């Protein structure tokens, strides 16, 4: 596996090695021992998957507050996404800054987003499926977020990002300036 640390400390892009032949390929997409030694020594307790039918669907920006804070290992199993992580750790030098990468099923790359970050994505192809492992269980009371297009954060979303695709919850999320210090 190839590991690339992105511009914010602790956020990594992971590219599993693919062994290809005329039939297709084989890849280890996750190894607990490798992940613990190279990225983070954390348990994964739940795996989630979403399907977005249309191009430009925006999901996020989400996080879970303590005691159910989550790290996420995100991969696109069908299609492609513009995947975003925003640092909301108040003592961090990169507080309020964001990084993004394109995750595709074709490439098989993944994004590790530790606790203390917002996460969101925009679909780049129709019928996109996203799968992510998390380090803590979902808890409705701990489910929090920030407005996807908060100008203080200034994410440069793809032009196809469709505000009409937002869930009712995501349409009314607070701005970062109005968010309490969770981390």
């Amino acid at each position: 596996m190839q590991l690339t640390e992105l511009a914010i400390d602790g956020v990594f892009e992971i590219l599993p090695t693919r062994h290809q032949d005329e039939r297709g390929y084989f890849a280890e997409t996750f190894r607990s021992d490798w992940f613990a030694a190279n990225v983070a020594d954390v348990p994964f307790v739940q795996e989630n998957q979403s399907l977005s039918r249309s191009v430009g669907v925006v999901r996020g920006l989400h996080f879970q507050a303590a005691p159910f804070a989550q790290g996420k290992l995100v991969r696109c199993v069908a299609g492609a996404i513009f995947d975003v992580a925003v640092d909301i750790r108040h003592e961090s030098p990169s507080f309020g800054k964001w990084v993004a990468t394109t995750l595709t099923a074709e490439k098989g790359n993944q994004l590790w987003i530790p606790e203390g970050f917002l996460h969101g994505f925009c679909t780049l192809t129709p019928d996109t499926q996203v799968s992510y492992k998390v380090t803590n269980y979902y808890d409705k009371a701990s489910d929090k977020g920030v407005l996807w297009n908060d100008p203080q954060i200034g994410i440069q979303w793809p032009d196809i990002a469709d505000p009409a695709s937002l869930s009712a919850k995501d349409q009314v999320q607070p701005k970062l300036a109005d968010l309490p210090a969770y981390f």
Side-chain angles (χ1 to χ4, degrees), residues 14-183:
I14 301 164
L15 181 61
T17 301
R18 288 188 172 176
H19 305 279
Q20 299 189 37
D21 63 22
E22 66 280 351
R23 300 169 297 166
Y25 70 84
F26 170 84
E28 287 183 343
T29 59
F30 178 77
R31 279 188 62 109
S32 181
D33 59 347
W34 182 91
F35 196 85
N38 294 283
V39 181
D41 191 4
V42 295
F44 288 102
V45 300
Q46 182 175 319
E47 188 163 2
N48 306 309
Q49 186 166 329
S50 69
L51 167 67
S52 300
R53 296 262 182 227
S54 302
V55 171
V57 170
V58 176
R59 295 182 184 261
L61 300 165
H62 304 140
F63 73 98
Q64 281 206 170
F68 291 94
Q70 296 177 330
K72 295 180 180 180
L73 182 60
V74 184
R75 71 184 183 116
C76 189
V77 295
I81 61 172
F82 176 79
D83 204 24
V84 178
V86 181
D87 190 350
I88 58 169
R89 301 169 297 176
H90 274 267
E91 301 303 317
S92 170
S94 54
F95 175 79
K97 298 202 180 328
W98 62 278
V99 291
T101 193
T102 299
L103 301 180
T104 69
E106 182 179 332
K107 189 174 180 183
N109 56 332
Q110 302 172 47
L111 186 64
W112 164 246
I113 304 167
E115 291 180 12
F117 283 77
L118 299 167
H119 174 245
F121 63 85
C122 175
T123 60
L124 303 175
T125 62
D127 297 319
T128 294
Q129 294 180 42
V130 176
S131 178
Y132 52 101
K133 294 175 178 7
V134 293
T135 60
N136 212 333
Y137 296 104
Y138 174 77
D139 178 73
K140 186 174 182 170
S142 301
D143 187 9
K144 309 291 181 195
V146 168
L147 192 62
W148 74 287
N149 63 349
D150 183 341
Q152 179 183 349
I153 299 170
I155 297 170
Q156 296 172 4
W157 292 98
D159 291 341
I160 58 172
D162 182 6
S165 71
L166 292 166
S167 68
K169 175 182 85 169
D170 289 344
Q171 291 176 25
V172 296
Q173 294 286 10
K175 292 184 176 181
L176 182 61
D178 300 322
L179 193 71
Y182 287 101
F183 299 96

